[in-house]
Amino acid sequence: MMKFLHISLLFILLTTSCGRPLFNLSEGESFTEGDFENPYFSSHDIDYVYKARIEVFSSTLGGLLIIKKIEKNHHRVVFTTEFGTKLLDFEFKGATFKVNFIQQKMNKKMLIHLLRKDFELLISQFNPIHKMYLLEGNNVFLSKKEGKYRYYFTDKNERLTKISSGRKRREQVIILFDKNSDNLAEEIQIKHKNFKLNIELSFLH
Amino acid sequence: MKKQCVFIVVMLVSSLGWSQQTALDSQKAMEVKKGVMRSAQATRTIVADFVQAKHLSFLSKDIISKGNLIFKDPNLIKWSYSTPFVYSVIFKENNLLINDAGKKSNIDLSSTKMFKQLNTLIAKSIKGDMFDEQKFDIQYFKTKNNYVVTFTSKEEAMHSFIKKFELTFDGKTYQVMKIKMIESPEDYTLITFTSLLVNKDVNDEVFTH
């Protein structure tokens, strides 16, 4: 009996802690099941070309980050120097990831993994909604993928302003979108909380 | 009848291609090489505006950037981009001096052999002084008014950056007009020089950070 009680208490403790969000969010309205759509890299017609600055540990790399939606669930992400010399060329097609090219000096398993995860978070268009919250009257959508909690923050115009990804109680990566219109964010920052990997992007007209 | 039409179309297309760029025989190729080398030897400085087009096969249009180039013999180069971003880079000895919209940084190239080699090649290509048959397979072509010379690197390691350089020289002055850096059949960077001034006085201070 005592053993059963212990298990029950543990169960209650676990389930209640699971329900508590990472941020100071309040429960949102009920919603019909569906996806949260990240609109920023969703158009086939736009060549998304950004001036980029990537800070990795003690190094800073400048260049151009080029993102193109080829077809549904298919993106190319290419990073070049300002000169046009290609430094990396990633391809995301459904669940498949391919390194088409990476410059020898950047060909480090850890770096490729981190950049892959960051870019995947940035371009992931349809994200199944697990739960909906409110923060200062604005909707926040929780989606879960591969054990990660992804919170999508929107503003009063229902535009995506921030993505936070991490463990249940620990934020690991945030992406901030600024100067955004319906399908384009002109300023983007990707920040890691655990170590120094920051990416700043400014859209080139 | 249908076959005849196809034949005529094929002949027309190939003759058009032929008239755009024809291979030079070895004697004419030697004349072009001598002309370009003579021009390169007489070139102390180059000041030019440039338009850079980055072509990637999957994009709907080329990425265009514009700026200004200053070259001083033997290997001082400054590329200043003014649009659509502000950025300058100076190749100086073993260093790249970068000014990225006011943020300055230096990159030591002595440890990065490939980048150093790439920069040397770019310096040589600006001057038109790349005729090293040990390092390149070189081919010569004539267009309507100019000459095109292609340099395919014999070093496999270089191919990961640039497989082939294609330089266009003015048919009369033998000055370099365009540099095309070909990464793959689909992807390349084309730099076209405009308002090119040769041997204008250039102060060394231009190449300070």
Side-chain angles (χ1 to χ4, degrees):
Chain A
M1 185 64 186
M2 276 303 282
K3 194 178 174 188
F4 177 72
L5 189 66
H6 279 147
I7 292 170
S8 301
L9 282 171
L10 187 65
F11 179 71
I12 290 164
L13 196 69
L14 281 173
T15 49
T16 49
S17 64
C18 283
R20 200 185 310 149
L22 173 69
F23 306 96
N24 192 19
L25 305 171
S26 52
E27 295 282 335
E29 292 167 23
S30 61
F31 64 97
T32 51
E33 279 191 20
D35 292 328
F36 175 79
E37 187 180 352
N38 173 354
Y40 297 138
F41 297 96
S42 63
S43 171
H44 297 92
D45 303 326
I46 301 175
D47 293 339
Y48 296 96
V49 182
Y50 288 83
K51 179 81 175 67
R53 186 177 288 141
I54 302 182
E55 289 181 339
V56 195
F57 305 113
S58 56
S59 317
T60 303
L61 277 172
L64 304 182
L65 188 75
I66 302 146
I67 300 175
K68 181 75 179 179
K69 184 177 180 184
I70 311 290
E71 54 189 44
K72 195 182 175 193
N73 295 323
H74 185 187
H75 284 83
R76 284 279 287 272
V77 178
V78 172
F79 183 53
T80 72
T81 63
E82 285 79 357
F83 256 136
T85 315
K86 215 186 266 184
L87 296 175
L88 69 82
D89 180 350
F90 289 172
E91 191 160 357
F92 297 84
K93 195 172 184 181
T96 315
F97 168 73
K98 192 177 161 198
V99 179
N100 291 326
F101 173 76
I102 188 145
Q103 200 254 323
Q104 207 179 359
K105 276 224 151 188
M106 293 176 76
N107 196 359
K108 308 271 189 282
K109 217 173 169 180
M110 180 72 173
L111 181 64
I112 292 173
H113 175 79
L114 288 169
L115 292 175
R116 172 193 174 172
K117 291 290 171 192
D118 283 0
F119 295 144
E120 200 270 329
L121 183 66
L122 181 69
I123 62 178
S124 176
Q125 188 179 351
F126 297 105
N127 306 280
I129 301 170
H130 179 75
K131 209 160 188 178
M132 195 174 139
Y133 298 100
L134 282 173
L135 180 69
E136 294 166 5
N138 298 323
N139 290 330
V140 179
F141 300 88
L142 169 63
S143 184
K144 292 181 184 177
K145 194 174 180 189
E146 295 165 0
K148 291 283 173 85
Y149 285 58
R150 292 177 174 181
Y151 291 90
Y152 292 86
F153 294 77
T154 60
D155 64 11
K156 63 178 188 310
N157 299 315
E158 297 190 349
R159 281 183 184 152
L160 176 64
T161 54
K162 176 180 165 181
I163 304 173
S164 163
S165 170
R167 298 284 170 200
K168 198 186 298 174
R169 305 204 172 284
R170 196 154 37 94
E171 197 176 34
Q172 290 171 319
V173 185
I174 59 167
I175 303 180
L176 301 171
F177 301 96
D178 204 3
K179 294 189 185 168
N180 37 10
S181 58
D182 288 342
N183 61 0
L184 182 74
E186 295 200 6
E187 302 286 334
I188 300 173
Q189 288 183 59
I190 305 173
K191 295 177 177 183
H192 282 253
K193 293 269 178 157
N194 304 340
F195 48 85
K196 197 174 177 190
L197 171 55
N198 296 321
I199 302 174
E200 283 177 26
L201 306 172
S202 300
F203 186 75
L204 294 177
H205 289 276
Chain B
M1 185 60 191
K2 196 180 169 189
K3 274 188 179 172
Q4 276 179 324
C5 285
V6 171
F7 178 71
I8 291 166
V9 169
V10 169
M11 287 304 288
L12 269 172
V13 170
S14 47
S15 66
L16 277 172
W18 192 250
S19 65
Q20 280 170 356
Q21 193 165 295
T22 51
L24 294 181
D25 62 37
S26 54
Q27 193 188 338
K28 189 64 193 161
M30 191 54 73
E31 276 177 38
V32 172
K33 181 180 170 181
K34 280 183 181 167
V36 171
M37 288 181 75
R38 224 179 6 253
S39 159
Q41 276 160 14
T43 301
R44 288 177 290 104
T45 67
I46 295 173
V47 177
D49 292 334
F50 68 85
V51 177
Q52 178 180 304
K54 176 70 189 170
H55 179 85
L56 290 167
S57 57
F58 60 87
L59 292 181
S60 52
K61 54 181 188 288
D62 291 351
I63 303 166
I64 304 293
S65 41
K66 294 178 183 178
N68 167 266
L69 165 86
I70 304 172
F71 166 79
K72 188 168 186 179
D73 199 41
N75 52 13
L76 286 170
I77 313 169
K78 182 177 187 178
W79 296 88
S80 304
Y81 292 83
S82 52
T83 178
F85 50 83
V86 178
Y87 175 90
S88 73
V89 59
I90 299 166
F91 298 155
K92 195 175 187 182
E93 291 150 8
N94 276 332
N95 288 289
L96 277 188
L97 311 177
I98 294 167
N99 187 339
D100 189 355
K103 282 197 176 179
K104 291 182 180 181
S105 59
N106 292 4
I107 296 178
D108 181 4
L109 290 179
S110 53
S111 62
T112 319
K113 191 181 159 221
M114 291 311 294
F115 261 117
K116 195 177 168 191
Q117 217 168 337
L118 182 66
N119 293 331
T120 309
L121 283 178
I122 290 168
K124 283 176 178 278
S125 65
I126 292 165
K127 215 181 153 191
D129 181 19
M130 278 179 70
F131 296 89
D132 186 342
E133 276 150 10
Q134 301 284 315
K135 288 185 176 167
F136 299 102
D137 281 322
I138 306 173
Q139 290 183 296
Y140 300 79
F141 302 91
K142 171 100 178 83
T143 61
K144 194 179 171 199
N145 297 317
N146 304 311
Y147 296 109
V148 173
V149 185
T150 62
F151 302 79
T152 308
S153 178
K154 289 179 178 175
E155 281 182 52
E156 272 301 311
M158 197 63 208
H159 286 196
S160 69
F161 280 106
I162 293 167
K163 279 198 174 57
K164 189 156 84 171
F165 279 82
E166 189 181 288
L167 305 190
T168 303
F169 297 100
D170 186 291
K172 288 179 185 148
T173 65
Y174 294 106
Q175 276 296 332
V176 67
M177 299 166 71
K178 294 180 187 180
I179 303 173
K180 190 172 181 182
M181 296 178 276
I182 301 166
E183 289 168 285
S184 68
E186 301 87 25
D187 302 338
Y188 60 82
T189 306
L190 174 65
I191 297 171
T192 305
F193 297 111
T194 55
S195 7
L196 191 136
L197 296 170
V198 178
N199 293 341
K200 187 184 170 194
D201 282 343
V202 171
N203 198 315
D204 277 357
E205 279 176 21
V206 171
F207 302 100
T208 51
H209 209 11

